[in-house]
Amino acid sequence: MKRIIPLTLALSVLATGAQAACYADYKAKQDDPLRLHYGVAEINGDCTVDAAIDELVSRLDGSSWQLLNVVSVFDEGGLSEREDSAGQFYLRY
């Protein structure tokens, strides 16, 4: 019994550290003059569209961009195929 508790704690720490990275691709705009951009951002919370929306709204607002929508969330396996499309907005926000 004495070994079970430390083992359980060690496994829970390892499981938390092994959480996969999460990314979202999104569309945003600025007004006056109208500017649009497609970007890719790393998401720190849960890997869901709702969590990505929550994070990106505040990040983009600080640069006068308005989030239009989150296209999808994905792991690092989807990064390379989106890099060219995102251009200067690849992992910028």
Side-chain angles (χ1 to χ4, degrees), residues 22-90:
C22 179
Y23 301 91
D25 55 345
Y26 64 91
K27 295 178 183 177
K29 74 170 188 165
Q30 281 183 336
D31 290 322
D32 203 20
L34 179 64
R35 294 177 55 204
L36 302 171
H37 88 247
Y38 167 81
V40 174
E42 185 170 9
I43 304 304
N44 298 316
D46 294 334
C47 198
T48 64
V49 170
D50 289 337
I53 289 170
D54 290 343
E55 281 194 46
L56 288 169
V57 164
S58 61
R59 287 186 205 173
L60 293 167
D61 189 49
S63 297
S64 301
W65 288 98
Q66 179 184 357
L67 180 68
L68 295 174
N69 70 313
V70 170
V71 178
S72 64
V73 292
F74 53 92
D75 64 16
E76 59 234 1
L79 277 176
S80 62
E81 66 191 58
R82 292 170 171 89
E83 185 173 3
D84 287 341
S85 296
Q88 69 178 355
F89 298 105
Y90 179 75

